């Protein structure tokens, strides 16, 4: 029985599979030639979703070549930010809204691109290069300062854990639905028994009969009025 279990596990490992989501958001280990160096929780959440509490984590990775030469420069470092939300509601919508705001600012170039097998948002300018995408209940952002590109292998490693939910044409099409896109309820005035208001939503014209006013036919001659006692002439 134990031998069979080992064989099944080995077969699953050989076939591959989706790696698990890290408990603290980021991968606290080496990713290929990128060496993990630092983990840190972040208080500032970049993609803010109203009514949806979030916490963020960051990890820094350094190239193996930089460690060997003993000198680390900006282009040798890649930073990863992962924001985790209580619920997936509104995450996609607010991520797209942030990307559109950055695209409207001077100095940033925002494009939709596929990298590492995932549909992502590319944000470059002001000496920075980032790749960002929304996942289910998460937002992932990879890049750093002093860079002009983001390594595809790093994006692929995180996209396997956080599959992108970014739709095509998100920068130009209608905004994805979210909590703030739903119509807000209209406040109804309090009931006043001295001045009741009709409930038009429950109005049924078949159940309500409006009294009609009796009107004489236009062609019918009016009946002469009978003389009163005062109008009658006395008999001779």
């Amino acid at each position: 029985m134990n031998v069979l279990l080992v064989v099944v596990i080995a077969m699953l490992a050989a076939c591959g599979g989706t790696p698990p989501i890290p408990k603290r958001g980021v991968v606290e280990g080496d990713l290929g030639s990128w060496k993990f160096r630092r983990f840190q929780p972040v208080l500032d959440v970049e993609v803010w979703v109203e009514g949806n509490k979030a916490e963020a984590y960051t990890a820094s990775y350094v190239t193996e070549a930089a460690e060997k030469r003993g000198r680390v420069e900006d282009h040798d470092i890649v930073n990863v930010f992962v924001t985790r939300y209580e619920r997936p509601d509104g995450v996609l919508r607010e991520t797209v809204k942030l990307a559109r705001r950055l695209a409207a600012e001077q100095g940033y170039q925002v494009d939709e691109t596929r990298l590492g097998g995932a549909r992502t948002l590319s944000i470059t300018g002001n000496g920075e290069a980032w790749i960002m995408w929304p996942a289910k209940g998460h937002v992932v952002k990879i890049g750093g300062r002093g860079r002009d590109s983001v390594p595809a292998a790093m994006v692929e490693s995180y996209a396997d854990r956080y599959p992108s939910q970014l739709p095509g044409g998100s920068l130009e099409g209608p905004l994805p639905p979210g909590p703030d896109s739903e119509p807000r309820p209209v406040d109804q005035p309090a009931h006043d028994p001295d001045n009741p208001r009709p409930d038009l939503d429950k109005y049924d014209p078949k159940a309500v009969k409006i009294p009609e006013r009796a009107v004489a036919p236009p062609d019918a001659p009016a009946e002469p009025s009978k003389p009163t006692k005062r109008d009658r002439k006395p008999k001779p």
Side-chain angles (χ1 to χ4, degrees):
M1 186 69 177
N2 292 336
V3 175
L4 179 60
L5 180 61
V6 171
V7 172
V8 171
I9 294 175
M11 291 177 62
L12 291 175
C15 296
T18 302
I21 293 178
K23 185 177 181 180
R24 298 202 295 180
V26 294
V27 178
E28 299 179 60
D30 298 344
L31 293 173
S33 62
W34 291 93
K35 305 301 180 181
F36 171 74
R37 284 297 169 264
R38 188 183 67 172
F39 164 84
Q40 183 178 350
V42 182
L43 298 177
D44 186 22
V45 175
E46 187 171 14
V47 180
W48 185 77
V49 182
E50 183 177 1
N52 196 350
K53 188 178 179 181
E55 52 187 2
Y57 311 93
T58 180
S60 298
Y61 303 86
V62 180
T63 60
E64 185 177 10
E67 285 195 334
K68 288 182 178 180
R69 69 172 179 262
R71 187 178 70 258
V72 178
E73 300 178 0
D74 287 343
H75 62 269
D76 297 317
I77 302 173
V78 168
N79 298 305
V80 178
F81 294 86
V82 175
T83 306
R84 177 172 293 162
Y85 299 84
E86 285 187 340
R87 304 180 310 279
D89 304 344
V91 175
L92 171 58
R93 180 180 177 87
E94 294 303 325
T95 303
V96 173
K97 288 172 66 175
L98 173 63
R100 292 186 180 186
R101 286 198 301 269
L102 292 175
E105 295 180 4
Q106 293 183 353
Y108 283 104
Q109 177 69 34
V110 181
D111 297 297
E112 183 182 312
T113 183
R114 292 193 68 88
L115 187 66
R119 188 185 301 276
T120 66
L121 296 166
S122 171
I123 305 170
T124 57
N126 294 327
E128 304 176 58
W130 299 94
I131 290 292
M132 183 171 65
W133 71 89
K136 184 178 180 180
H138 295 81
V139 172
V140 183
K141 181 181 175 183
I142 302 176
R145 298 182 181 275
R147 304 189 59 87
D148 54 11
S149 63
V150 178
M154 183 69 70
V155 174
E156 183 178 3
S157 296
Y158 273 87
D160 288 343
R161 294 166 171 82
Y162 301 100
S164 174
Q165 292 188 338
L166 185 71
S170 58
L171 292 177
E172 299 178 357
L175 279 173
D180 63 344
S181 64
E182 299 177 358
R184 298 180 180 274
V186 179
D187 295 335
Q188 298 293 337
H191 175 67
D192 184 0
D194 297 330
N195 186 23
R197 299 170 61 90
D199 190 350
L200 299 180
D201 294 334
K202 298 180 180 179
Y203 171 72
D204 185 1
K206 296 181 180 179
V208 179
K209 185 176 181 180
I210 301 176
E212 298 180 357
R213 183 179 179 182
V215 179
D219 297 334
E223 295 182 1
S225 58
K226 295 182 179 181
T228 61
K229 292 183 179 181
R230 292 183 179 181
D231 296 335
R232 294 176 183 173
K233 295 181 180 181
K235 295 181 180 181

